[in-house]
Amino acid sequence: MRRLPMICAPKFDPESDENLRINEPLMADWLIAFLKDEIVRRRGMTRAVVGVSGGVDSALVAFLLAQALGAENVTGIRMPYHASSQESRDHASLVVEATGIQMDTIEITDAVDNYLKFAPDADGRRRGNVMARMRMIILFDQSAKMGCIPVGTGNKTERLFGYFTWHADDSPPVNPLGDLYKTQVWALSRYMGVPDIIVNKPASADLIVGQTDEGDFGITYQKADRILYYLLKGFSAARLVAMGFPDSEVALVKKRLDSTHWKRHLPTVAMLSNTSINDYYLRPVDY
């Protein structure tokens, strides 16, 4: 009896980014259409404001908004603290030059420091949260002044890691990047024409000299995204380790994901009726 040759499935490669690849032209068109629909059709507005930090996330949002609404209808706001690097300020200016959007600069140093006088013992984390919340106060107030909408810039990896200040970075009512992993943000940014110097620099909250996101995480965005992809698909940590992902990296990512779930929700309300908002009472579009 003749034996048929065995056909083996290709060995899984835990360092592959195949599952994170996107169709950049299609994604760009979809996000531009999303912004038009959410801002113009659903909310009846024609203008938007976005904080431009000099980082890749806010740069990409500025590029998308410029195409969705027209550069003349988008205002980017730089909100530096005295410790913010000159590089961040310069890169924010590069975004404005490349997109043609309007730009304002509002220093937050006095506002932040005047509060921190009452909290001289505040550590770096608390100070960073104060800065983030002050920036969001400014964005929402400027949007009220201009009669426009503030647009968020947080990516999916940051949100899953809880790497944002609650009621600050993730507060704007519209966010085009919230379902894009950081590696996908980089890919789309290159396609959209965000300057290479912005795309290729280490991601940083720019709170402390030399601080980087990946240094805070203890893992690179690329490695984290590969693991997050499978965790969100329902794979167990044990299965990921069996597939070849390092045990320590899987544990790190899973702990981050599990411990920050509360940050991705509105405040928990004590349910006292069957019309509790966002629990039972939902608009048809929310189902």
Side-chain angles (χ1 to χ4, degrees):
M1 180 177 176
R2 183 184 174 194
R3 290 188 177 183
L4 295 175
M6 291 185 63
I7 300 176
C8 298
K11 185 178 179 181
F12 177 79
D13 181 5
E15 296 186 3
S16 171
D17 290 326
E18 182 65 32
N19 290 319
L20 295 168
R21 289 178 185 164
I22 57 173
N23 181 327
E24 289 90 348
L26 180 63
M27 187 68 70
D29 288 346
W30 196 93
L31 290 176
I32 290 167
F34 163 81
L35 288 167
K36 288 179 180 178
D37 184 65
E38 282 294 323
I39 295 172
V40 180
R41 188 178 74 83
R42 291 180 182 271
R43 301 169 194 265
M45 297 183 177
T46 58
R47 302 180 63 203
V49 63
V50 60
V52 181
S53 66
V56 66
D57 300 309
S58 64
L60 177 55
V61 172
F63 272 74
L64 291 168
L65 282 170
Q67 292 202 28
L69 305 179
E72 70 279 6
N73 294 315
V74 181
T75 299
I77 302 183
R78 295 190 308 183
M79 294 170 282
Y81 183 65
H82 73 77
S84 299
S85 69
Q86 186 60 46
E87 179 185 77
S88 293
R89 301 176 192 228
D90 293 344
H91 290 175
S93 297
L94 275 181
V95 172
V96 172
E97 293 169 11
T99 58
I101 65 173
Q102 317 304 302
M103 183 178 79
D104 288 331
T105 300
I106 300 175
E107 293 271 352
I108 66 169
T109 302
D110 288 346
V112 170
D113 287 352
N114 278 334
Y115 166 72
L116 289 176
K117 286 190 298 187
F118 298 97
D121 60 336
D123 59 15
R125 180 184 60 83
R126 286 177 59 193
R127 289 173 178 270
N129 285 339
V130 171
M131 293 176 208
R133 291 190 173 111
M134 181 55 62
R135 289 182 172 118
M136 203 50 55
I137 288 172
I138 291 169
L139 278 185
F140 273 91
D141 182 63
Q142 288 296 304
S143 72
K145 169 187 170 184
M146 300 177 194
C148 63
I149 192 168
V151 177
T153 63
N155 64 67
K156 189 172 186 174
T157 310
E158 290 174 339
R159 299 178 74 216
L160 291 173
F161 265 29
Y163 195 66
F164 59 90
T165 298
W166 208 42
H167 293 314
D169 316 51
D170 215 32
S171 295
V174 175
N175 179 359
L177 306 188
D179 200 23
L180 284 176
Y181 292 102
K182 185 73 170 190
T183 47
Q184 296 170 333
V185 167
W186 284 325
L188 187 57
S189 295
R190 292 188 179 97
Y191 170 77
M192 292 289 295
V194 174
D196 287 342
I197 195 170
I198 296 175
V199 178
N200 296 332
K201 71 178 180 179
S204 170
D206 196 24
L207 300 175
I208 303 170
V209 176
Q211 175 268 342
T212 66
D213 294 1
E214 294 179 336
D216 288 349
F217 296 160
I219 190 172
T220 67
Y221 271 115
Q222 199 168 31
K223 290 180 177 180
D225 285 351
R226 294 168 187 158
I227 294 170
L228 284 168
Y229 174 85
Y230 286 103
L231 287 176
L232 266 64
K233 290 289 185 180
F235 286 54
S236 68
R239 185 174 176 187
L240 291 185
V241 172
M243 290 164 62
F245 290 100
D247 189 9
S248 60
E249 293 178 358
V250 172
L252 185 156
V253 172
K254 190 172 188 307
K255 182 178 179 181
R256 277 275 192 174
L257 179 64
D258 292 346
S259 65
T260 58
H261 184 65
W262 63 273
K263 294 185 77 173
R264 294 181 287 275
H265 286 266
L266 292 171
T268 302
V269 173
M271 292 170 52
L272 303 174
S273 71
N274 61 1
T275 55
S276 177
I277 299 169
N278 286 324
D279 298 307
Y280 288 108
Y281 174 69
L282 301 171
R283 299 175 304 144
V285 74
D286 291 326
Y287 285 99

